[in-house]
Amino acid sequence: MAATITVNAATDAMSADDGMCTLREAITAANSDTATGGCTAGAAADMIVFGEGVAGSTITLTAGELPAITDELTIGMDEMSGATVDANLQSRILTNQATLTLNGMTLINGMVEGSGDDGANSRSGGAILNDAGGVLTVNGGAMNNNTSDRAGGAIEEVSGAAAGTTAVTLNGVDFSGNDAGMNPGNGGVLHVTGTGDVVVDGGTFDGNTAVEGGALWNNGGTMSVTGAMFTANTATGGTADAGDDTAQGGGALFGNTAGGTLDVADSTFDGNSAMGDVSSGGAIFVNNGAILLLSNSTLTNNTANRAGGAIELRGGSSATLEQVDAEMNTANTTAGGGGGNGGVVHVTGDATVDVSGGVYARNTAIEGGAFWNNQGTMTLDGVNVVANDATGADASQGGGGIFAETNDAGVDSGTLVVMNSRIVGNTASGAAGSGGGILVSAGATANITDTRISGNTANRAGGGIESASGTVTMTGVTLGGTSSADGNDAGASPGNGGGLHVGGTGSTTITRSTVGYNQAVEGGGLWNNTGSTMTLDTSTVSNNTATRGAGVYLNGDASAITLDFASVTNNNGTGIESGDTTNGNVVALGSNLVANNTTADIGSNVIVDDEEAVLTGEVSVDTYRLFGGPTATQPLPAGSTALDTNADCGTPEDSATDQRGAERPSSAMGETDAGNCDSGAYELTDDPVVTVTSNGPAAVTVSSDDSLTAVLGITLANDSDAAVTVGGFSGYIERDASLPAGFDLRDAELSVYADDNGNGIYEMGEGAVGTATPLDDNGTTFTVALDGGAGVSIPANDSMSYVLVASQSAGDVEMMTGNESTLLTPKALYAGGAALLLLSLVSVGGLRRRTQLLLIVAALALTLTACSDSDSDDDGVNIGGGDNDAGDMMAFGELRVVLQTLNASGDVDTDLVIGDGLPVRGPVVSFAAASDSDGDSDDDSEG
């Protein structure tokens, strides 16, 4: 039967039975199961507790390291009744060779040192050596200012645990000021030798130091980290003068080898650094073959001197980043040794990176303000890449948001895949910086789909994208937008390619995309070089501005572009132009529309191989805008001379539908040649049109005591003489900054309700139109079906109203906040008739909490309504017209929901319901976060 041994003396001694029991004597009694000094005998799995006057006090070791733990033992009754052990920088504190649990213990000033002739274990683990056979669990407490010579400033794990077996568990432990030394100096807090697993649940890691892995260093097992905070940890390795290579760094975490996994969730990395001359990975370093799984976490203010302001990945490694927010990280822009690449993520070699959702904003590097890829595949799905900066001054540098690199030989280069994403407001600010949004180097490949690339700026070329002999494929891409605020800008030095600049001998294919409102000196929309191939297929180039080649500029003899059912219209300057002494070439396929450009449609030195395949001159067109489908087009009105111009239409696969996906050819609105296609990317069809207008508040702040929902008022007006069936809505969520900790957009579900009285408010009794639909896996895009996809009918010459409400998915969601485990439980409140779904934070198990976040799940709530009955509601919030432009940058805890398309019902892909007036942006929704009212949450343990 286990014994409880009470320590009643805060001294450190072994003496005869004097009635006093010291910690040293208690461990000996527990190991030997015999009475020692004033301590009772142990018996099997014992517990050492601290008596009155000792609990909470400091025990300073005067006789060296405590006895090794050789039998199962628990020290400390609970997290609140432990003691502090101070080794006074004279020795390690203890070695564990059994199953040891520490509750509420603080271990400080442990130290191990030696020379290279000493064994590795004798120089590792300043506070604890988890030796052969050891299983260590630490609950609460702290380990501060411990030092080793080799590894594991606080803890060295060398138990020999088999793969899949947990060797060390750290629950809510705080680590500060620990140092792993310099020989080699791995794991400022914890170093793992072997394949044993480590579990870290909560806790803080602040100001720890190592050569590699300022806080944690993992080897061949799985290190699982949940709800932890890493601040101001430092990796010092990578000194160019010492001849070190660049495979050092990881200010907070280091994953060392193939087979090892860093699995990190709900954690914060702030102000960590890799400060050696050629050190990488300001927060995390993933070495050759290791794996990183990072989710629902934030990376802020981390810095690396070489590369990867937050994360460095080496060849053969892989990383999955899900719902990660990264802001203000820096790959040191003044570093030497080829440094300064990848403000957030840098890849060296052929690593694989998958990024889903999240915001990457205001990060800085010389190349690749947020991301820098090398020879592997980097995939971004549903990612907001916003306001990052690449400061490199050379023409080959830039990529304000993303840099896709080639290797030195230009072969075996990597692939960048971007989908469903938003690349906005990034800059290549160097003197000759190129690629404000993306730079694709020679030999690299970029495949971009369903993505918006807007408002980016370069100083030299490629306001949106620079392709320097790379291969770029764009499908469903918006390059610029439908207003001047959305356009990309190539600068003025020399200022080539506002939307896209292709230098060298690259290859570019643009399909079902739009290039609008960009500006440059040459090539307001597109700029293509001699020897490069460019194809514009079923796409639109409109309202771009340049001195030369407002739509397209062809540089040099033999420079060419292939137009295949393309529209180059309404640009401010010449539609397609070449140099004064050179000839550009247009290869015309299908029937193209190059018209209404202000200076000329085709420049004098541009040779068109088939002039009959290009319609020029003054042609009647409607306003360039979203008019069905996800990308803007140049619609054609009835009676336009661009209708029914091509008899050879609909047979090639790529001309069977227009840019929006509508079937072509089509005979609509009095067209007479039913077998002919219209010129350009747009086909006039008889698909129904629903006018979408908005009237909602510009911003909504939702907090625990706020009765206001976040609503978007929308009128869906059918002005035709026939009913229109709308099958559903599609859109996305815009964010420019992080949300409060623990909030996962992937847990949101969208439900549609009929707004019976048309007041734009969800009220009890209003019926659901279909079932709840989750956001897509990327937590960014969504498609909501009405009545299971069968749709709802909007009567002729009438309008209909609906309410789209977001709620948490079924079931409670566990979230870690500091050292507290909390449950998010939906509670419905009805205030002013509006549905407000609050996530109530409930303390679980009496565990301590540091901060209570009040999260509002209904912040995605949308109201689709015919009109507003007043300019303000009873809560004093102005209900003015909604803002259809992106507007100012959103701050922490803010998001905006955007409706992009109306969807048809049925299974015919080419059927459209045209939403005129889209996209419609909702109000900026702010999530409130509040601290505990008592101001001292460490003592808050109510249930």
Side-chain angles (χ1 to χ4, degrees):
M1 182 176 179
T4 298
I5 305 171
T6 301
V7 174
N8 57 18
T11 58
D12 179 36
M14 293 285 290
S15 62
D17 185 2
D18 55 4
M20 304 303 292
C21 177
T22 67
L23 178 58
R24 186 177 297 275
E25 291 170 331
I27 293 173
T28 301
N31 285 335
S32 63
D33 291 341
T34 60
T36 304
C39 303
T40 58
D46 303 314
M47 174 180 285
I48 296 175
V49 299
F50 297 93
E52 185 177 355
V54 180
S57 67
T58 298
I59 300 170
T60 300
L61 301 184
T62 59
E65 182 178 349
L66 292 168
I69 310 300
T70 58
D71 198 7
E72 184 173 350
L73 179 63
T74 297
I75 302 178
M77 180 177 295
D78 54 44
E79 294 183 30
M80 305 303 295
S81 57
T84 297
V85 180
D86 183 353
N88 201 28
L89 299 179
Q90 299 301 306
S91 68
R92 178 187 293 128
I93 293 174
L94 63 86
T95 295
N96 177 44
Q97 297 171 343
T99 299
L100 173 64
T101 300
L102 301 179
N103 292 324
M105 298 295 296
T106 298
L107 309 182
I108 63 174
N109 296 324
M111 173 179 282
V112 290
E113 56 186 350
S115 67
D117 295 332
D118 296 322
N121 289 354
S122 68
R123 299 185 292 118
S124 304
I128 300 175
L129 176 69
N130 197 46
D131 207 353
V135 177
L136 175 66
T137 300
V138 185
N139 298 316
M143 299 188 195
N144 302 330
N145 302 319
N146 300 285
T147 305
S148 71
D149 175 66
R150 171 186 171 270
I155 303 171
E156 169 70 12
E157 153 50 22
V158 66
S159 68
T165 302
T166 300
V168 177
T169 301
L170 306 173
N171 295 319
V173 187
D174 297 329
F175 297 90
S176 178
N178 301 285
D179 191 331
M182 300 289 292
N183 298 302
N186 298 338
V189 169
L190 168 68
H191 176 266
V192 178
T193 298
T195 59
D197 291 349
V198 173
V199 175
V200 178
D201 195 346
T204 63
F205 298 79
D206 178 71
N208 304 285
T209 304
V211 173
E212 295 177 354
L216 304 175
W217 195 100
N218 188 50
N219 200 36
T222 296
M223 180 177 285
S224 300
V225 180
T226 305
M229 180 174 288
F230 297 85
T231 56
N233 301 285
T234 302
T236 62
T239 304
D241 292 342
D244 293 350
D245 64 20
T246 59
Q248 291 184 315
L253 306 182
F254 191 99
N256 182 55
T257 189
T261 299
L262 295 172
D263 188 351
V264 184
D266 304 316
S267 295
T268 298
F269 297 82
D270 181 70
N272 304 284
S273 57
M275 294 306 293
D277 294 339
V278 289
S279 186
S280 302
I284 303 172
F285 191 110
V286 187
N287 209 2
N288 299 332
I291 298 170
L292 171 66
L293 306 174
L294 182 64
S295 63
N296 301 317
S297 297
T298 60
L299 302 161
T300 55
N301 300 302
N302 302 288
T303 303
N305 263 352
R306 172 185 173 268
I311 300 172
E312 167 73 8
L313 296 156
R314 308 294 286 191
S317 66
S318 67
T320 300
L321 279 59
E322 296 181 341
Q323 300 303 313
V324 172
D325 294 337
E327 301 179 60
M328 296 178 289
N329 301 282
T330 302
N332 193 349
T333 55
T334 61
N341 297 337
V344 180
V345 176
H346 178 268
V347 175
T348 299
D350 59 351
T352 300
V353 183
D354 291 302
V355 184
S356 179
V359 172
Y360 296 78
R362 293 170 289 281
N363 304 285
T364 305
I366 292 174
E367 296 177 353
F371 297 97
W372 197 99
N373 189 45
N374 198 201
Q375 298 171 42
T377 298
M378 177 180 285
T379 302
L380 278 61
D381 182 4
V383 179
N384 291 277
V385 181
V386 181
N388 302 283
D389 184 24
T391 64
D394 191 77
S396 64
Q397 295 177 317
I402 306 168
F403 192 103
E405 174 64 302
T406 180
N407 65 17
D408 292 339
V411 296
D412 296 329
S413 293
T415 299
L416 172 68
V417 178
V418 182
M419 63 183 78
N420 305 310
S421 294
R422 174 173 168 259
I423 302 172
V424 175
N426 303 282
T427 56
S429 64
S434 303
I438 303 173
L439 191 152
V440 183
S441 289
T445 297
N447 299 322
I448 309 169
T449 60
D450 302 323
T451 291
R452 297 163 299 284
I453 304 173
S454 304
N456 303 286
T457 303
N459 271 343
R460 170 187 168 269
I465 302 173
E466 166 75 12
S467 177
S469 297
T471 300
V472 176
T473 301
M474 291 187 284
T475 305
V477 171
T478 296
L479 190 57
T482 56
S483 72
S484 57
D486 298 328
N488 302 288
D489 189 338
S493 301
N496 297 339
L500 166 70
H501 176 264
V502 181
T505 56
S507 172
T508 305
T509 302
I510 303 171
T511 305
R512 290 187 170 84
S513 298
T514 189
V515 182
Y517 281 94
N518 304 286
Q519 65 180 29
V521 175
E522 290 181 351
L526 306 171
W527 195 101
N528 194 43
N529 197 31
T530 298
S532 294
T533 61
M534 178 179 287
T535 299
L536 189 65
D537 182 1
T538 323
S539 296
T540 300
V541 179
S542 182
N543 285 276
N544 302 282
T545 300
T547 304
R548 297 178 291 278
V552 179
Y553 187 86
L554 303 174
N555 184 58
D557 287 328
S559 176
I561 186 171
T562 298
L563 303 181
D564 190 354
F565 285 97
S567 298
V568 182
T569 54
N570 286 14
N571 295 286
N572 298 309
T574 301
I576 303 176
E577 189 170 1
S578 186
D580 294 336
T581 60
T582 60
N583 293 321
N585 297 279
V586 173
V587 178
L589 305 175
S591 182
N592 302 280
L593 180 62
V594 183
N596 303 332
N597 299 287
T598 60
T599 301
D601 294 323
I602 305 290
S604 59
N605 289 329
V606 175
I607 300 172
V608 180
D609 72 334
D610 183 357
E611 294 184 355
E612 293 185 358
V614 179
L615 178 63
T616 62
E618 293 296 323
V619 177
S620 179
V621 298
D622 279 340
T623 303
Y624 169 72
R625 66 195 190 276
L626 272 179
F627 198 69
T631 57
T633 54
Q634 192 80 70
L636 302 175
S640 173
T641 55
L643 303 180
D644 296 336
T645 59
N646 190 317
D648 297 325
C649 172
T651 50
E653 182 177 352
D654 63 353
S655 64
T657 57
D658 74 355
Q659 180 179 322
R660 305 167 301 160
E663 184 177 2
R664 67 191 322 175
S666 172
S667 179
M669 301 183 184
E671 293 181 79
T672 56
D673 296 323
N676 290 359
C677 276
D678 303 337
S679 291
Y682 179 92
E683 182 78 9
L684 179 63
T685 66
D686 56 5
D687 291 303
V689 178
V690 174
T691 302
V692 185
T693 56
S694 66
N695 53 11
V700 173
T701 299
V702 190
S703 63
S704 59
D705 56 357
D706 197 334
S707 61
L708 203 63
T709 57
V711 294
L712 168 64
I714 294 181
T715 300
L716 300 180
N718 174 18
D719 295 329
S720 72
D721 294 330
V724 175
T725 300
V726 177
F729 317 106
S730 293
Y732 51 90
I733 295 171
E734 293 180 337
R735 291 199 290 132
D736 298 330
S738 304
L739 293 179
F743 188 79
D744 188 348
L745 289 172
R746 295 172 300 176
D747 292 330
E749 289 184 340
L750 302 175
S751 301
V752 182
Y753 294 84
D755 186 7
D756 295 335
N757 59 12
N759 65 358
I761 299 172
Y762 172 73
E763 296 176 315
M764 292 294 290
E766 292 180 332
V769 185
T771 58
T773 303
L775 292 178
D776 294 339
D777 289 342
N778 58 31
T780 299
T781 53
F782 63 85
T783 297
V784 178
L786 298 175
D787 196 15
V792 295
S793 179
I794 302 177
N797 299 301
D798 203 351
S799 61
M800 296 289 288
S801 301
Y802 300 92
V803 180
L804 180 60
V805 178
S807 60
Q808 193 77 358
S809 60
D812 292 335
V813 180
E814 188 168 354
M815 183 187 75
M816 300 303 299
T817 305
N819 291 335
E820 180 194 26
S821 177
T822 61
L823 286 180
L824 304 182
T825 307
K827 294 184 178 180
L829 298 179
Y830 295 92
L836 186 59
L837 299 182
L838 299 183
L839 286 183
S840 173
L841 290 174
V842 182
S843 179
V844 176
L847 297 178
R848 294 182 299 151
R849 66 187 178 194
R850 294 186 179 276
T851 303
Q852 179 166 299
L853 295 176
L854 304 174
L855 303 180
I856 313 305
V857 153
L860 305 182
L862 309 177
T863 300
L864 282 73
T865 178
C867 61
S868 173
D869 55 8
S870 68
D871 286 340
S872 64
D873 63 12
D874 292 338
D875 295 298
V877 175
N878 183 43
I879 309 295
D883 180 13
N884 270 5
D885 293 326
D888 296 332
M889 295 284 291
M890 289 173 283
F892 172 80
E894 296 181 344
L895 59 77
R896 182 192 290 115
V897 178
V898 182
L899 292 187
Q900 185 178 31
T901 59
L902 303 183
N903 302 325
S905 61
D907 298 326
V908 180
D909 292 338
T910 55
D911 286 346
L912 301 180
V913 173
I914 298 169
D916 196 8
L918 296 174
V920 170
R921 288 177 166 83
V924 174
V925 178
S926 300
F927 291 77
S931 299
D932 287 311
S933 59
D934 61 11
D936 186 12
S937 56
D938 280 354
D939 296 328
D940 185 0
S941 59
E942 70 269 23

